[in-house]
Amino acid sequence: MIQAVAPGRALGFRRILPTCDKHFLWDTQGTVFSLSDAVALSPSGQLVWSEASRSTVLCRNVKDVTVDPRSDVSRRQYVYVLMTRLPAGCGRRSDSVEIYQQYNGERVFHMTFHPSMTFSRLRLMGSEVNRTLLLLTGTGRVYTVPLNETQLNRPRSFTVQLTLREINHSLPDLAVKQIHTSYSSALYITGEGEVYVETHSAGVHRHLFGSLQGFSPNTGPMLLPLPSKVVRCSLGLTHLCLLDERGCVFMQGSNNHGQLGTGDKIDRREPTQVVLSLTPVEVCCGLNHSLALLRGEAGEKEVQGCGCGRGGRLPGWSQGSPVFVRLSVKTPRSTRALCSSKYHLYLLCCHDIEEPLLFHTPPPGAESEKEAAERAGLQRCLSQLRGCGHLQEQLARLREAVQSHMTLSSAHKDFLEEALSTMQQASSSTTQFQL
């Protein structure tokens, strides 16, 4: 059951942050609302919306807000807020970081910066006892602050140190525009749309890049090879998803549950393009699954997902899927963003007439007429495949697409032949497929 929930004073949503006991909504005017009783469990064990009629203002003048990046909301005991304060008297405005307990909204930490230090983004990494706070300035510099959350409730003062991040030491001329973090990795997007990844765990590095070659705890950021400018990103614990200005989606990392949407469970150590049936608007890397918000030509929206389907992560696909499939989620046309935790899926619905254009038309000559025709033919085959009611019809459409629109090496042909044979045996069919 899906029900719309919104604080009465909110003016459009930027982000939703679910925690252990509450949900926090950040609106376009810089106000963070605390929403109580948002989700309940029905007698049959299904997650449903309760009334969610109680909402309070946590703070105002907020520039960014974040929580623990892990998908398990039980880890999210505190809400971190980057805000602008106007001191009493005639003092200058200054940025500050404030930390609130999620269950009662009480402020437990306050850190103010010199007026010359202004920040635009705030993100977290690490465990509760070894938390790393990342702050991005308007000029593209990244600073870090170490914190221990177990000390926040103690009535005492302590000093924290603000230091420049390694990415700005190793690449001093680089201007960072976006920061994305997971438990032990960080991803930076520059103004030119380049993507750099740094990892601080051997296991995470192996999942993302396939080996430990070149890894050390102090390894600098690695540049990912991509053909065009990246505009959106989502970073999970062991996989990542990138969305470029042409509307192309690239996946990388662990694929043990099919969360990369490549149709198999083979890990990818470099960004690998995944073809979706509609135009992507937003992407989200979950615990061991991936989600994409898509828009059709007439403006209709839908949510697709791949990977593990347990715990309701892929509504309608409890067994999961190694390719992106349409989920059983009613998606309003005004949906502009999505968010996923370990067991929940959230859609943020609002409209902003001043929102800039996300994608750009490729320059003339970027794609030949032959490539455009091939792309259109594949899209038609994909649409026909989705309309097939039986597996054998889908296999026939797939064979037609491979023969008519794809130029494959002998190794690729052998692989597809083996894959079709495996699918054929699983469906107890006697038809033989050969490429």
Side-chain angles (χ1 to χ4, degrees):
M1 174 180 171
I2 298 178
Q3 179 177 335
V5 179
R9 292 166 289 175
L11 298 174
F13 300 128
R14 294 185 183 185
R15 192 177 306 153
I16 183 170
L17 299 171
T19 62
C20 299
D21 306 304
K22 297 187 178 182
H23 292 73
F24 293 88
L25 289 166
W26 179 33
D27 78 356
T28 58
Q29 297 300 308
T31 301
V32 174
F33 295 88
S34 172
L35 188 65
S36 301
D37 298 328
V39 174
L41 196 64
S42 70
S44 61
Q46 298 295 320
L47 292 170
V48 298
W49 285 104
S50 60
E51 290 186 8
S53 57
R54 291 183 294 165
S55 64
T56 58
V57 174
L58 181 71
C59 51
R60 302 182 187 276
N61 301 317
V62 175
K63 302 174 73 173
D64 201 6
V65 58
T66 192
V67 293
D68 187 301
R70 287 171 285 188
S71 297
D72 187 353
V73 295
S74 65
R75 306 282 188 178
R76 301 174 180 177
Q77 298 293 337
Y78 295 94
V79 180
Y80 289 69
V81 177
L82 172 65
M83 59 196 314
T84 300
R85 288 290 192 187
L86 180 61
C90 58
R92 295 171 58 188
R93 287 183 178 270
S94 61
D95 284 353
S96 66
V97 171
E98 299 188 352
I99 305 177
Y100 296 85
Q101 290 181 339
Q102 61 87 26
Y103 66 90
N104 61 8
E106 178 182 349
R107 191 180 77 181
V108 297
F109 182 83
H110 176 69
M111 176 171 54
T112 302
F113 304 98
H114 189 274
S116 62
M117 295 287 292
T118 59
F119 301 97
S120 61
R121 295 213 176 194
L122 173 81
R123 290 295 182 268
L124 292 177
M125 289 177 59
S127 64
E128 293 82 353
V129 298
N130 191 24
R131 187 73 76 192
T132 299
L133 179 66
L134 300 182
L135 292 160
L136 175 64
T137 70
T139 58
R141 310 283 280 179
V142 183
Y143 287 86
T144 182
V145 177
L147 286 171
N148 185 343
E149 286 187 353
T150 62
Q151 299 178 352
L152 295 179
N153 281 323
R154 300 177 184 178
R156 69 182 184 87
S157 299
F158 57 91
T159 302
V160 295
Q161 184 177 5
L162 184 70
T163 58
L164 192 64
R165 195 72 174 171
E166 173 61 29
I167 186 171
N168 291 123
H169 284 301
S170 58
L171 300 168
D173 298 327
L174 195 69
V176 177
K177 293 300 181 182
Q178 297 182 40
I179 303 178
H180 302 269
T181 60
S182 184
Y183 177 69
S184 57
S185 60
L187 184 148
Y188 308 98
I189 301 179
T190 71
E192 301 300 321
E194 294 179 322
V195 178
Y196 291 83
V197 176
E198 64 178 32
T199 57
H200 302 275
S201 162
V204 170
H205 188 89
R206 185 187 296 108
H207 280 300
L208 288 178
F209 296 102
S211 71
L212 293 180
Q213 182 178 0
F215 171 77
S216 74
N218 298 319
T219 300
M222 300 178 61
L223 176 65
L224 298 185
L226 291 159
S228 56
K229 180 178 180 180
V230 170
V231 293
R232 294 282 174 86
C233 166
S234 182
L235 178 62
L237 178 62
T238 60
H239 73 295
L240 59 86
C241 181
L242 305 169
L243 178 58
D244 73 7
E245 64 178 350
R246 301 176 303 165
C248 298
V249 174
F250 295 85
M251 309 289 292
Q252 179 176 336
S254 175
N255 198 25
N256 58 325
H257 291 275
Q259 60 264 46
L260 300 187
T262 54
D264 53 43
K265 295 185 179 181
I266 302 173
D267 297 346
R268 299 299 196 275
R269 62 182 63 187
E270 292 184 351
T272 301
Q273 185 173 353
V274 177
V275 178
L276 298 177
S277 58
L278 300 173
T279 302
V281 176
E282 185 69 277
V283 291
C284 177
C285 289
L287 177 64
N288 46 22
H289 64 294
S290 302
L291 302 170
L293 175 64
L294 307 177
R295 179 181 63 238
E297 294 183 358
E300 71 280 6
K301 301 283 181 66
E302 68 177 60
V303 177
Q304 293 188 10
C306 61
C308 179
R310 292 194 301 268
R313 292 166 207 167
L314 301 179
W317 297 81
S318 59
Q319 300 300 315
S321 172
V323 296
F324 278 92
V325 290
R326 183 173 183 175
L327 305 184
S328 301
V329 176
K330 184 178 180 181
T331 310
R333 296 171 70 93
S334 59
T335 304
R336 60 178 298 177
L338 52 79
C339 171
S340 174
S341 64
K342 187 174 182 179
Y343 297 114
H344 302 149
L345 169 61
Y346 303 88
L347 303 179
L348 293 185
C349 305
C350 59
H351 178 66
D352 183 1
I353 60 175
E354 297 181 354
E355 184 177 10
L357 183 65
L358 181 62
F359 304 119
H360 303 276
T361 303
E367 186 177 67
S368 66
E369 293 183 2
K370 180 180 179 180
E371 291 174 334
E374 289 178 349
R375 183 182 298 275
L378 288 172
Q379 290 294 337
R380 286 194 300 271
C381 291
L382 184 60
S383 177
Q384 294 171 357
L385 188 147
R386 291 182 179 277
C388 295
H390 301 287
L391 176 60
Q392 292 306 316
E393 296 180 12
Q394 293 177 332
L395 290 172
R397 291 295 182 185
L398 175 59
R399 180 189 177 196
E400 177 184 346
V402 171
Q403 293 178 339
S404 303
H405 302 283
M406 298 183 186
T407 302
L408 302 175
S409 65
S410 58
H412 289 165
K413 288 184 178 181
D414 292 342
F415 167 77
L416 283 176
E417 182 177 359
E418 183 65 25
L420 288 173
S421 298
T422 301
M423 296 168 67
Q424 171 193 353
Q425 295 172 5
S427 63
S428 300
S429 172
T430 58
T431 306
Q432 298 295 323
F433 290 85
Q434 295 183 353
L435 296 178

